[in-house]
Amino acid sequence: MRRSGIDFAIALVLLAACADRGDKPAGIETAWHVGPRWTLVHELTIGAVEGPGPHVFATIGDIEVAPDGRIIVLERESNEIRIFDASGTHVRTAGRSGSGPGEFDAAHGLEWLPGTDSLLVNDGSANRYSIFDRDGRFVRSMVRPLTGFGYNFPGGVANGLFYEEGSRRVDQTTYESFLVGLRLVTQAVLVDTVSLLKPPSPAIPSYSVQNARGGMYMAVPYTPTQVLDLSEDGALWWGFGSQYRIYQLTLEGDTLREVVVADAKPIPVSPADLQEWERSKFVRLFKERGGVIDFDRIPKHKPLFTDFFVDSAGFLWVDVPTADGRTAFDIFDTESRLLGRVATGIWRMPYVKPLVRNGRLYLVGLDDLTVPFVYVFRIERAQVQVEEGQRGASNR
């Protein structure tokens, strides 16, 4: 296990406290106004740059955390589920590439199934779900009654059902997304369909290449995208990165509230950002297949947010772009107040949603060599005295 040069005693960066240094986004007020109130304390890093052991990851597809604190890592290239105890010690490896029981074609998502003490592995390429017990032993598989899948897995569990995002073609260039709710017993049975809000701006078509060397689609970098999250109370959270406006909805489509930062300012895309993107393995693979990059299609500014999730206490964590690319979260309380911003000091790996479990933040980050690691921080929360009128979001 390795630290990869990151300062791990990271205090929560309060926007109000940092105003004199120019770190505060224009027009945003916060409820924290007297010194730091939360602290992220680094507890653990799982990973290594090289070696033969289970701590070396090529590509991490997803992570989960069991109720007893075990950390479950989906190693995408080897199609393995690697289980570590709360101290980072490797306990067991399950799964491998193949078509047999407990094997995967291209596993791309994990979900802990509450009340069953078991783990679901989503293998969209093979169109099946595989269920493992808490110790990583294969239990059964069932047909995934959907067509198509993305690089990552947006979905979760709500009201006893397992939800996954699906899509249907509207026309030649447009797809419409929705959620499907499945009851998982001996087989996956479709019992619910949830419509999603329409994006406030049109989607930018992906780069694509089709030739004798194969086909490939690749998203245009820094384009706003749809983000959704299912919270533990059964609510659906939805937003689109072109506007700092996040909706909390019932699964029936009723709006419970909106979280809005009206004066948020986007960060420009720098030449260094483009150079870093060009060095990524996805761009390299796209070019190897004959793809051509049209830089005029890349937005001049980054989205206002790229991801979000809601923790078990109801706090909304919004992943916002920063000038240096290291991950930071705006944190909102249950009344939609923007409390402050936490800087992790880590370049988060896209597509793997962070988690908060047992008072800890779990996320996948990349070191300077783009090697993935799992980072664990303990969240220390101090009491916050909120004064009237200091609100950074609306509760509607």
Side-chain angles (χ1 to χ4, degrees):
M1 287 175 278
R2 178 178 176 275
R3 292 199 170 190
S4 71
I6 298 174
D7 179 9
F8 291 113
I10 302 177
L12 191 60
V13 179
L14 302 182
L15 301 183
C18 295
D20 294 339
R21 300 199 303 271
D23 296 335
K24 176 184 174 183
I28 298 178
E29 295 297 329
T30 67
W32 287 335
H33 53 89
V34 184
R37 294 296 181 177
W38 289 15
T39 303
L40 293 182
V41 179
H42 174 255
E43 285 193 335
L44 179 66
T45 301
I46 302 176
V49 173
E50 57 187 2
H55 290 82
V56 177
F57 306 111
T59 302
I60 294 177
D62 205 357
I63 57 173
E64 252 297 357
V65 180
D68 62 1
R70 288 202 235 187
I71 302 162
I72 305 160
V73 182
L74 170 57
E75 214 301 315
R76 193 165 193 143
E77 291 199 15
S78 62
N79 267 324
E80 292 178 342
I81 306 300
R82 300 180 187 175
I83 302 174
F84 302 85
D85 67 17
S87 70
T89 301
H90 178 251
V91 176
R92 183 185 180 96
T93 294
R96 62 182 180 182
S97 295
S99 58
E103 298 176 340
F104 313 116
D105 184 53
H108 72 294
L110 304 175
E111 185 70 26
W112 190 262
L113 301 177
T116 66
D117 207 25
S118 58
L119 176 76
L120 178 144
V121 182
N122 195 339
D123 189 358
S125 179
N127 250 14
R128 69 177 174 182
Y129 303 124
S130 294
I131 308 296
F132 292 78
D133 68 15
R134 64 185 301 276
D135 295 316
R137 291 185 291 262
F138 174 73
V139 177
R140 68 184 186 280
S141 63
M142 58 187 74
V143 174
R144 175 179 177 269
L146 302 173
T147 58
F149 64 98
Y151 187 80
N152 64 327
F153 158 58
V157 176
N159 303 327
L161 299 180
F162 172 72
Y163 283 87
E164 185 174 356
E165 184 179 359
S167 64
R168 50 182 165 251
R169 185 188 292 270
V170 177
D171 53 43
Q172 280 297 106
T173 60
T174 308
Y175 287 82
E176 181 181 65
S177 356
F178 55 93
L179 285 181
V180 293
L182 305 167
R183 179 169 288 114
L184 307 178
V185 190
T186 56
Q187 58 183 341
V189 180
L190 176 62
V191 297
D192 191 19
T193 301
V194 179
S195 298
L196 300 175
L197 299 180
K198 292 185 178 180
S201 57
I204 297 178
S206 300
Y207 294 124
S208 64
V209 59
Q210 297 284 341
N211 54 39
R213 284 176 285 179
M216 181 176 176
Y217 291 89
M218 182 178 66
V220 177
Y222 304 110
T223 56
T225 59
Q226 171 182 268
V227 180
L228 59 89
D229 187 64
L230 283 168
S231 55
E232 293 185 8
D233 60 2
L236 169 64
W237 294 77
W238 184 94
F240 196 81
S242 62
Q243 297 180 357
Y244 208 133
R245 181 182 297 269
I246 299 171
Y247 297 85
Q248 183 190 25
L249 308 161
T250 66
L251 291 175
E252 291 73 34
D254 298 322
T255 300
L256 300 175
R257 60 178 163 136
E258 298 177 27
V259 176
V260 181
V261 179
D263 298 324
K265 305 297 183 185
I267 294 176
V269 176
S270 70
D273 292 327
L274 295 177
Q275 291 170 7
E276 184 69 24
W277 172 74
E278 272 199 284
R279 288 194 293 266
S280 72
K281 67 178 182 180
F282 297 106
V283 175
R284 196 163 56 245
L285 179 60
F286 184 77
K287 290 181 176 179
E288 288 172 356
R289 295 190 178 185
V292 177
I293 304 298
D294 180 2
F295 283 89
D296 290 337
R297 294 173 57 191
I298 300 176
K300 304 303 181 186
H301 291 85
K302 299 178 182 181
L304 293 171
F305 60 82
T306 58
D307 205 352
F308 58 72
F309 66 94
V310 179
D311 67 24
S312 59
F315 290 94
L316 173 65
W317 298 60
V318 182
D319 189 336
V320 290
T322 61
D324 66 359
R326 297 176 190 263
T327 295
F329 296 99
D330 284 349
I331 300 179
F332 296 83
D333 69 8
T334 55
E335 297 182 13
S336 302
R337 286 184 292 245
L338 173 58
L339 299 181
R341 179 167 293 180
V342 56
T344 67
I346 289 172
W347 287 289
R348 183 170 81 84
M349 186 173 180
Y351 312 114
V352 182
K353 191 179 285 289
L355 302 169
V356 170
R357 300 279 193 274
N358 307 316
R360 288 164 176 80
L361 171 67
Y362 300 81
L363 56 81
V364 176
L366 301 170
D367 73 353
D368 294 337
L369 301 174
T370 68
V371 176
F373 293 80
V374 178
Y375 298 98
V376 182
F377 297 92
R378 185 175 70 254
I379 306 167
E380 295 188 348
R381 296 186 175 103
Q383 294 298 316
V384 179
Q385 181 179 354
V386 179
E387 294 184 359
E388 286 297 322
Q390 292 192 311
R391 295 174 183 265
S394 64
N395 186 7
R396 301 178 182 177

